Amino acid sequence: MTPRLPASICVHQRGWLSSNNIVFIDSEREATVVDAGYVTHREQTVELLRHSIGARRLARLINTHCHSDHIGGNAALARAFGCAIAIPEGEAANVRAWDEEALHLASFGQRCERFAFDSTLAPGATLGMGGIAWQAIAAPGHDMEALVFHAPEEDILISGDALWEDGFGVLFPELFGEPGLAATRATLDTIARLAPRVVIPGHGRAFGEVDAALERAYARLEAFERDPEKLARNAFRVLVVFHILDRQAVTLEAVAALLAGTSFFAALNERSYRLAPAALADRLVRELTASGALRIDGELVRPG
Amino acid sequence: MTASPCVNVCHMNPRHGLCVGCYRTLDEIARWSALDEPERAQIVATLRERRAQLGPLRAPRPR
């Protein structure tokens, strides 16, 4: 059962391409949103916000971390509402320079619209959203600079991609040689200590069975710790599906071109599959079709 | 639990006021996460009717 949230919080949950937009009614006059969704959905994101906040002003947009599915709507929301944007302080340099490689945009076959931020949030920062006091907490692993937000009084955690109902976001840092596995364990330990009543994740519904979610997340982490090769394969599958959700229909040749054309995929392929791009594309699409994530439609590969 | 009808094609068709991917209104998308099970099932049934009645919906402009 989906847990009941305070009346000042509304979660706009769509599919996996766009992160949730967590909307807070701060007062009669102002509202805040956490995370902005993917760039191709930005017009609908603006319309949804307008619908949920009514005549209020969207005063602030806050990002849990700076991946394309969380920041893609930032520029459009700032244009539409004039909101101030706050990002985790560890992301500031990459966003200021709009370092597409460091932000995992082109190198992941993803798109985004550049935006300017107004302030940064550090772990330990406190902020009010929806009339509730929240504390920013470091949550490295999926993204080393990511923040989660905890409300001690309401016992709610906004977890971004650090904890989902079933797992967590791809552990990219580990694939880039950073200690992502250890960081993920520390982050899960932190969340377990907080023991929130409700988690509002970056993707999927808000959930209340947090112990069970943590148990699944630890089991998944242990599987990665036992066999780190699984991380690379998981990243491949997730990024290929993400790209096809974005484009909606691509040829097998286009999948091969994506795998051949980006440095990240080339490095991962070298490390785990060691296949020619066309053969790798064929294999990944076959695996993902078998699992139902994709389907073949004549010459095209589409979301399942 | 009725799964979200979102298919990751999130654009509003201005003529019908419906999402071209899932055929929901803005209100149905915005409130989805707070709806109870009977309400979700009711919406999903309505979406099937809308889809059958309206056929494919277009996004406001090509992406």
Side-chain angles (χ1 to χ4, degrees):
Chain A
M1 192 58 215
T2 308
R4 197 163 282 282
L5 294 172
S8 63
I9 304 178
C10 170
V11 181
H12 294 168
Q13 181 198 342
R14 287 177 284 179
W16 286 85
L17 188 54
S18 271
S19 69
N20 291 335
N21 316 124
I22 307 166
V23 185
F24 297 87
I25 301 302
D26 296 325
S27 69
E28 284 303 304
R29 294 206 309 269
E30 291 192 344
T32 297
V33 64
V34 170
D35 286 337
Y38 195 62
V39 64
T40 52
H41 299 163
R42 62 192 165 188
E43 286 87 4
Q44 190 186 69
T45 306
V46 168
E47 289 189 65
L48 283 170
L49 257 295
R50 200 164 270 142
H51 179 85
S52 289
I53 69 174
R56 293 175 188 82
R57 187 171 79 90
L58 184 69
R60 292 174 300 175
L61 160 58
I62 293 161
N63 295 117
T64 55
H65 61 296
C66 290
H67 284 170
S68 69
D69 51 333
H70 294 253
I71 60 173
N74 277 23
L77 288 171
R79 261 197 309 278
F81 298 104
C83 54
I85 297 176
I87 64 171
E89 69 170 358
E91 313 268 21
N94 291 337
V95 172
R96 194 177 290 118
W98 203 249
D99 182 338
E100 295 233 347
E101 192 74 26
L103 291 168
H104 303 322
L105 297 175
S107 56
F108 280 13
Q110 299 180 3
R111 302 185 272 187
C112 200
E113 183 181 357
R114 187 171 185 168
F115 66 93
F117 60 90
D118 301 277
S119 63
T120 60
L121 285 169
T126 54
L127 61 161
M129 300 189 289
I132 297 165
W134 301 83
Q135 184 173 32
I137 297 170
H142 165 68
D143 179 309
M144 295 308 268
E145 311 303 337
L147 296 174
V148 295
F149 298 100
H150 181 238
E153 274 174 42
E154 297 282 345
D155 220 5
I156 299 174
L157 183 76
I158 293 168
S159 64
D161 292 350
L163 179 68
W164 296 335
E165 190 167 15
D166 188 11
F168 40 74
V170 178
L171 303 185
F172 295 116
E174 182 73 25
L175 294 168
F176 287 100
E178 293 179 78
L181 286 168
T184 299
R185 181 162 288 280
T187 292
L188 292 179
D189 289 348
T190 300
I191 295 174
R193 271 196 302 277
L194 294 172
R197 177 181 61 89
V198 178
V199 170
I200 307 175
H203 299 266
R205 63 175 188 166
F207 56 91
E209 295 82 13
V210 180
D211 285 349
L214 279 166
E215 208 169 296
R216 285 189 290 273
Y218 277 117
R220 193 173 173 76
L221 175 62
E222 278 154 26
F224 287 139
E225 286 167 341
R226 276 197 303 274
D227 181 6
E229 277 310 296
K230 281 198 171 124
L231 274 177
R233 288 162 193 246
N234 173 246
F236 261 116
R237 284 195 293 270
V238 169
L239 289 171
V240 166
V241 170
F242 189 95
H243 182 71
I244 292 171
L245 283 178
D246 175 4
R247 310 297 157 126
Q248 283 296 306
V250 299
T251 61
L252 204 53
E253 290 73 33
V255 178
L258 171 75
L259 299 175
T262 72
S263 53
F264 177 73
F265 284 123
L268 275 196
N269 184 17
E270 182 56 39
R271 170 174 159 170
S272 62
Y273 289 96
R274 295 181 201 90
L275 290 170
L280 179 56
D282 191 60
R283 174 169 168 170
L284 288 172
V285 167
R286 240 181 314 114
E287 285 174 4
L288 290 162
T289 306
S291 75
L294 299 177
R295 67 188 165 89
I296 305 291
D297 176 15
E299 296 292 297
L300 297 172
V301 187
R302 294 184 184 276
Chain B
M1 174 64 72
T2 302
S4 165
C6 178
V7 292
N8 297 288
V9 184
C10 308
H11 301 273
M12 297 309 289
N13 173 290
R15 181 163 157 224
H16 297 286
L18 298 173
C19 176
V20 304
C22 67
Y23 290 71
R24 283 181 297 175
T25 63
L26 282 174
D27 192 57
E28 288 164 345
I29 302 169
R31 291 193 311 117
W32 179 265
S33 63
L35 298 178
D36 59 27
E37 183 54 28
E39 291 170 314
R40 291 184 184 192
Q42 172 63 45
I43 287 177
V44 166
T46 309
L47 301 183
R48 276 196 290 273
E49 285 168 31
R50 284 180 198 159
R51 187 184 299 271
Q53 193 187 340
L54 298 171
L57 293 179
R58 284 191 192 178
R61 60 171 186 271
R63 281 186 283 150

